[in-house]
Amino acid sequence: QLQLQESGPGLVKPSETLSLTCTVSGGSISSSSYYWGWIRQPPGKGLEWIGSIYYSGSTYYNPSLKSRVTISVDTSKNQFSLKLSSVTAADTAVYYCARHTPDFMVAEPFDIWGQGTMVTVSS
Amino acid sequence: EIVLTQSPGTLSLSPGERATLSCRASQSVSSSYLAWYQQKPGQAPRLLIYGASSRATGIPDRFSGSGSGTDFTLTISRLEPEDFAVYYCQQYGSSPETFGQGTKVEIK
């Protein structure tokens, strides 16, 4: 059974870079059918898609965050990672990783999610 | 970007009652690529419905989805105690993928 697990620091200082990793277990990240995405949820608020990556390294991002986001993949470790630069308090959120298929393939929604990890931006 | 507006913001109902949740899109959702998720406190969202009306694996048949174009509905035919949660719609037919702001179904 495929599982996703986020990991990374729970506290990041303003202006620094937030870095998180999602480890995929029970299956291969190198599946030709799926992209792997990051979604966040500020406390008490809704969900925002950040960006996604294919096992080949192809990425696409939410334009609202594109200038600050980098997503990378390490197929040897079955992991993909998120970097968000120049963070502010507005980036405080629970960050989820999830599997999906984008609209330029046969689109599928986020069907498998990690449990989420809370990241607080504070000095 | 497609903006999704969910209504009502909160729905107060009793177990056994029928819940009807609405999701309206600012423009037509391509190929009915509309999904519904359930989220309970401290948990990740769980996929309920995809393609506007198809139930995800393991989802009880009291959950049903309908709609096309810009207007979509999630119906819970008879609320069970475990159904009280927040529900989000999401369109995945055009980038960026976007979510509605959520509808909370609470116990009356």
Side-chain angles (χ1 to χ4, degrees), chain B:
Chain B
E1 171 176 323
I2 296 178
V3 176
L4 299 178
T5 302
Q6 293 186 238
S7 61
T10 302
L11 202 49
S12 298
L13 295 168
S14 300
E17 291 194 294
R18 181 184 187 90
T20 303
L21 288 67
S22 174
C23 177
R24 178 162 290 178
S26 60
Q27 54 190 281
S28 185
V29 175
S30 174
S31 301
S32 294
Y33 287 145
L34 193 287
W36 290 92
Y37 299 86
Q38 176 193 69
Q39 187 178 35
K40 297 179 180 179
Q43 296 184 17
R46 176 175 71 144
L47 178 66
L48 298 176
I49 300 287
Y50 64 95
S53 60
S54 298
R55 276 187 298 277
T57 302
I59 302 303
D61 61 7
R62 64 179 180 273
F63 291 92
S64 63
S66 62
S68 64
T70 61
D71 289 295
F72 298 89
T73 301
L74 174 70
T75 302
I76 310 171
S77 59
R78 292 180 317 278
L79 283 164
E80 297 288 341
E82 62 267 28
D83 299 336
F84 291 92
V86 179
Y87 293 83
Y88 294 95
C89 59
Q90 180 225 353
Q91 68 80 22
Y92 54 101
S94 66
S95 185
E97 285 85 338
T98 51
F99 293 85
Q101 83 279 19
T103 290
K104 182 179 182 180
V105 179
E106 66 176 21
I107 299 176
K108 186 174 182 180

Side-chain angles (χ1 to χ4, degrees), chain A residues 3 14-15 19 21 23 26-27 32 34 37 44 48 52 54 69 74 95 108 112 116 123:
Chain A
Q3 293 185 313
S15 80
S19 296
T21 295
T23 300
S32 61
Y34 298 105
E48 179 181 37
S52 299
Y54 196 50
V69 174
D74 186 339
Y95 286 76
E108 296 289 349
I112 299 177
S123 55

